[in-house]
Amino acid sequence: MHEIATAVLAPSTTKGTLADLPARNAAEDPQGLGFRVREGDSWTGRSWREFADEVTDLAKGFVAAGITPGAVVGILATTRYEWTLVDFALWTAGAVPVPIYETSSTDQIEWILGDAGAVAVVVEAAKHREAVESVRGGLPGLTQVWSIDAGDLSALVTEGSEVSEDALALAHGGQDRTSLATIIYTSGTTGRPKGVELTHGNFLDLAENAADRIASVVRADDASTLLFLPLAHVFARFIQVLCFEGRVVMGHSADIKHLLADFAAFQPTFVLAVPRVFEKIYNSAEAKAVADGKGKVFATAAETAIAWSEAIDAGGPSLTLKAKHALFDRLVFGRLRAAMGGKIRYAVSGGAPLGTRLGHFYRGIGVTILEGYGLTETTAPATVNLPDRLAIGTVGPPLPGVGVRIEEDGEILLRGVGTFRGYHDNLTATAEAIVDGWFHTGDIGVLDADGNLKITGRKKEILVTAGGKNVAPAVLEDRLRAHPLISQCIVVGDGQPFIAALVTLDADMLPGWAAAHGLAGLTVESARRNAAVREEIQRAVDDANTAVSKAESIRKFEI
C-alpha cells in the first residue's frame, strides 16, 4: 500500500474562527466546568461562561491598546491558564498570536518577533520582559510589552472597559476559516526557524474531525486533561483547541518536576505527552521498586503487563495470564494508575517514536497510549492510533480529512485539512515543501496492509557507512533512550567504518541507581568514567544491537 486517505466526518465550511469557541461553549453549557485553575495548592473551577467573559474583557483591552485585525502579537510564557486566555483573547480581537518558547535565547526571540512583524508581546515574568527588552533595539515595530506576573492583563481589562461589543465584533468579524490564525516557528535545525502559517480552518477542521473520530476520549462525560507540554508547541496548542471542541475540562501545569503531584490532584482522564515522559514514569517506578527491595516483583509485573497486551492482539490472554494480570493489577498496576491520578484511561503520544515495549506495558496496566504522528506543518496530528483500532508499533491511520502517500524513496507525503498554507514570507521554502498539494515531510515510513503508518526514520538522518550499509539511527536511539540511565543519545557513523553512539546520563535517575549499586554520591561527571556505569551502558548498547543486523550495530560509545 502506497497511498491512503480517510474521508472527512465533520461538515465542510469556511464560516467561523477560533474566536467563536468560547462564546459557543458558554451559550451551550454556561455553567459547565471548562477549567480548573491552580491557585496556590488548590484548584479552582472556571465555567465556560466565566472563561468566555474573561476572554471578551481581555480582547477589549487589546483593542483599546491599539491591536488591530491581523496584527501579530507574541506570547512568551510557560504553560498556564493565562496562556490559553491570551490566545483566545487575541483571536477574539482579530489578532495573530505567535508563540515563543519560554526557554528561547534572545537571538531566537528577536528573530521570531522580527520575522513575524510583531507589534506587541505578552510575557510571563520579569526575566522574559528583560529578554525582550534586551533585543528591542532591533525591533522598531514592537511597541508594547505586557507582563502577566506584573498584572498587565488586569490593566488591559480596565483599559478596555469602554470598548463596545459592536467594536469587538467588528475586530474579527471579517475573518473566516481561511484567515491566518497563528505563525509557529520550527526549531530551525537546518538554519533560521521558519514560520509555519496555520489558518483558523486548519485548527477547527482538524479538531472537529478528530473529536468525532476519538469521541470516546474527548467527548466522554467526565473527560479532562492536564496540559503540561509547552503551549508554544503545535501539539499542545492543537489539543487545547480539541478540548474546546469536545468541551473537555482543562488544567495547566508548568513544572514537569511536580507532574505526578499535579496528576494526583487534578485526576485527568487523558493526557498528552512525549515518549520521554512515559519512559520517566516507568523508570521512576522501577527505581523505587528496586530501592524498596521489590525489583523482581516489578520486573515480573512489567513482563506480565506486556504479555497481556500482546495476547490481546493475538486472540486473547490465557486463563493463567489473566490470573497473573489480575494479581499484579492489585499489587502494582493500580498503584501506577493512582500515581497518574487514578482516573486516566488514555494518553496521546507524539513528537518521537514511543516503541512497542512501552506501548504494550501501558496498555497492560490499563492506560491505552494512542501514538500519533504529525508536524507543525500539519497542525500536529495527521495520523493517530484509535481506541477501537489500536496497532501498537505504528502511528495509526490518517485522521478524517487527511491523506498519506509513500514515495518510491520511502518519504512520507501528507495532505489534508490540517496542512499549512505556507512558510511566512518564504515562497522558495514553501514551493520546495508543498508539491502538487502534498507536503514532503522528510520522514520515511511504510503503510501496512490495514492502512497504519509506521515511521522508520528520517530521510536526512540515514547514515551510510564506509562499507555502503544504510543505517536508520532511530531504531537504535529509541532502544537506548529506554534505559533508565540514559536521557538522550545520537547514533553516528556516516562515511565511517562502523556505527558509534554518544549518550548522556539521566541526572534524575543516576542517584537512585548509584545508591542501589553501592555507589552513593556518584556525580554525573564522575559517572562518565565509572567502570560500573560504563558496563551498564554497554549492556544497554548490547540490547539495542539485538534490534539490528551486525553491520548496523553500535561498536563503540562515549558518555
Side-chain angles (χ1 to χ4, degrees), residues 228-229 235 256 272-283 347-359 362 369-372 395 477-479 481-483 486-488 506:
F228 55 88
L229 294 183
F235 186 22
I256 200 167
L272 66 149
V274 292
R276 189 62 185 155
V277 171
F278 299 114
E279 288 170 354
K280 282 271 192 181
I281 293 172
Y282 176 94
N283 291 339
V348 182
S349 177
L354 177 69
T356 57
R357 178 186 62 88
L358 281 178
Y362 277 96
I369 296 181
L370 306 175
E371 188 175 8
V395 291
E477 291 167 353
D478 294 342
R479 290 286 285 264
R481 278 194 297 264
H483 191 282
I486 297 175
S487 65
Q488 299 296 336
D506 190 318

Side-chain angles (χ1 to χ4, degrees), residues 317-342:
S318 65
L319 290 175
T320 301
L321 184 54
K322 285 181 179 179
K324 285 181 66 177
H325 185 269
L327 173 64
F328 285 119
D329 193 66
R330 293 192 299 272
L331 296 177
V332 179
F333 306 155
R335 293 181 180 180
L336 286 172
R337 292 194 300 273
M340 290 185 279

Side-chain angles (χ1 to χ4, degrees), residues 276 477 480-481 485-490 502-506:
R276 189 62 185 155
E477 291 167 353
L480 282 171
R481 278 194 297 264
L485 272 186
I486 297 175
S487 65
Q488 299 296 336
C489 66
I490 181 171
L502 300 170
V503 304
T504 60
L505 298 177
D506 190 318

Side-chain angles (χ1 to χ4, degrees), residues 157-181:
V157 169
T158 300
E159 188 178 345
S161 60
E162 299 301 317
V163 174
S164 68
E165 293 289 335
D166 288 342
L168 184 60
L170 188 63
H172 68 267
Q175 298 182 346
D176 61 17
R177 295 194 184 208
T178 66
S179 303
L180 180 64

Side-chain angles (χ1 to χ4, degrees), residues 237-254:
R237 196 96 168 283
F238 169 75
I239 293 294
Q240 171 186 263
V241 174
L242 183 65
C243 287
F244 273 84
E245 177 59 32
R247 291 215 289 270
V248 174
V249 179
M250 275 182 281
H252 301 75
S253 178

Side-chain angles (χ1 to χ4, degrees), residues 281-479:
I281 293 172
Y282 176 94
N283 291 339
S284 296
E286 182 182 43
K288 186 177 186 305
V290 170
D292 293 342
K294 299 176 181 178
K296 289 185 178 180
V297 173
F298 183 87
T300 305
E303 291 171 2
T304 300
I306 293 169
W308 187 84
S309 177
E310 290 174 338
I312 290 176
D313 296 334
S318 65
L319 290 175
T320 301
L321 184 54
K322 285 181 179 179
K324 285 181 66 177
H325 185 269
L327 173 64
F328 285 119
D329 193 66
R330 293 192 299 272
L331 296 177
V332 179
F333 306 155
R335 293 181 180 180
L336 286 172
R337 292 194 300 273
M340 290 185 279
K343 294 183 179 179
I344 188 166
R345 298 189 293 270
Y346 294 101
V348 182
S349 177
L354 177 69
T356 57
R357 178 186 62 88
L358 281 178
H360 283 300
F361 171 78
Y362 277 96
R363 179 165 66 168
I365 71 167
V367 179
T368 300
I369 296 181
L370 306 175
E371 188 175 8
Y373 166 74
L375 303 94
T376 304
E377 289 87 345
T378 60
T379 322
T383 72
V384 69
N385 267 283
L386 307 171
D388 58 349
R389 185 182 157 181
L390 197 65
I392 292 175
T394 79
V395 291
L399 279 167
V402 176
V404 177
R405 173 187 288 177
I406 307 297
E407 289 282 78
E408 291 301 319
D409 63 357
E411 184 177 9
I412 300 165
L413 276 54
L414 300 170
R415 69 177 178 186
V417 296
T419 305
F420 75 130
R421 74 180 195 182
Y423 293 112
H424 183 64
D425 285 344
N426 198 334
L427 295 176
T428 300
T430 301
E432 291 173 351
I434 304 176
V435 181
D436 296 330
W438 289 95
F439 169 59
H440 289 243
T441 67
D443 293 319
I444 56 176
V446 294
L447 286 165
D448 67 18
D450 296 319
N452 298 304
L453 179 63
K454 184 176 178 63
I455 311 299
T456 56
R458 182 148 182 84
K459 197 173 179 180
K460 293 182 180 179
E461 291 178 354
I462 295 296
L463 307 178
V464 183
T465 66
K469 180 65 178 178
N470 285 10
V471 179
V475 176
L476 292 161
E477 291 167 353
D478 294 342
R479 290 286 285 264

